[in-house]
Amino acid sequence: MDKTRILFVCLGNICRSPLAEAIMKRRLEERGLSGTILVDSAGTGGWHVGELPDERARRHGASRGYTVDSRARQFDPDTDFDAFDMVIGMDEQNVRDLYSMANSERDREKVHRATAFCRCHPGHAGVPDPYFGGSSGFELVVDMLEDVAEGILEHLAGKVSPSVSHGA
Ligand code: 4NP
């Protein structure tokens, strides 16, 4: 069976999407699914390309046992839409930006908003950007992304559909 390929996308690729990548990878390892689902992350912006995740993202992730160590890269519409089956934007702006970069309806159909997979955090239109805030923002992001990871696994197991698969 071909691997399912999931790309998490935020603005800078140093806070939310590397946390999402680390959390999802751990969940897959725990379930013995690392060989069947490939996970990566990217940013719509290129300011932090090549950097390790923000120190706060690494610390808040590590406090729950996640290794948050991917190097930032910028989303490339010419290769990433083909390389991934699901392109999951963290917030409404990320999803809008991904739509604006899509080259085809096939590309657009791959775009989802992370919170469409949340079961426990209703009322959040997106995973809030923690970059300019404090510790509580990072804790909320980790809480939400743990919820998102479980929701995606249920979705992939065929149990549920994303509540909003398209549209910001
Ligand atoms: P992220 O957070 O999109 O979750 O990685 C941000 C990181 C950097 C910036 C903004 C948001 N920045 O403006 O540099």
Side-chain angles (χ1 to χ4, degrees):
M1 197 183 80
D2 281 348
K3 279 192 180 189
T4 299
R5 300 155 301 171
I6 300 172
L7 182 67
F8 291 107
V9 178
C10 61
L11 180 59
N13 193 209
I14 55 168
C15 295
R16 292 166 292 174
S17 62
L19 273 165
E21 177 185 350
I23 291 167
M24 193 69 191
K25 281 181 172 168
R26 244 268 308 276
R27 292 285 183 282
L28 293 171
E29 278 163 23
E30 287 164 0
R31 288 167 170 78
L33 291 172
S34 301
T36 55
I37 300 174
L38 181 147
V39 183
D40 193 7
S41 67
T44 55
W47 313 284
H48 299 283
V49 167
E51 293 178 17
L52 283 169
D54 185 284
E55 185 274 328
R56 297 164 296 172
R58 303 184 73 188
R59 184 158 37 86
H60 284 270
S63 75
R64 297 198 205 180
Y66 303 113
T67 306
V68 189
D69 63 355
S70 56
R71 294 272 172 185
R73 73 173 182 88
Q74 189 166 15
F75 181 81
D76 181 348
D78 293 329
T79 56
D80 282 325
F81 280 119
D82 287 337
F84 291 90
D85 303 299
M86 299 175 79
V87 179
I88 301 178
M90 290 293 128
D91 63 24
E92 292 171 298
Q93 185 61 52
N94 303 149
V95 168
R96 271 196 294 274
D97 290 342
L98 288 165
Y99 275 135
S100 73
M101 290 187 273
N103 295 308
S104 65
E105 189 53 32
R106 186 169 173 272
D107 289 354
R108 271 185 286 279
E109 283 172 2
K110 295 183 177 186
V111 177
H112 304 268
R113 184 169 36 156
T115 45
F117 298 96
C118 276
R119 296 99 32 95
C120 311
H121 293 87
H124 284 275
V127 180
D129 185 345
Y131 187 69
F132 294 106
S135 287
S136 61
F138 279 87
E139 285 300 299
L140 175 63
V141 166
V142 178
D143 285 343
M144 290 184 74
L145 291 174
E146 288 180 332
D147 189 11
V148 167
E150 293 295 337
I152 292 171
L153 286 166
E154 281 191 9
H155 167 70
L156 292 175
K159 288 190 205 151
V160 293
S161 312
S163 57
V164 184
S165 55
H166 307 295

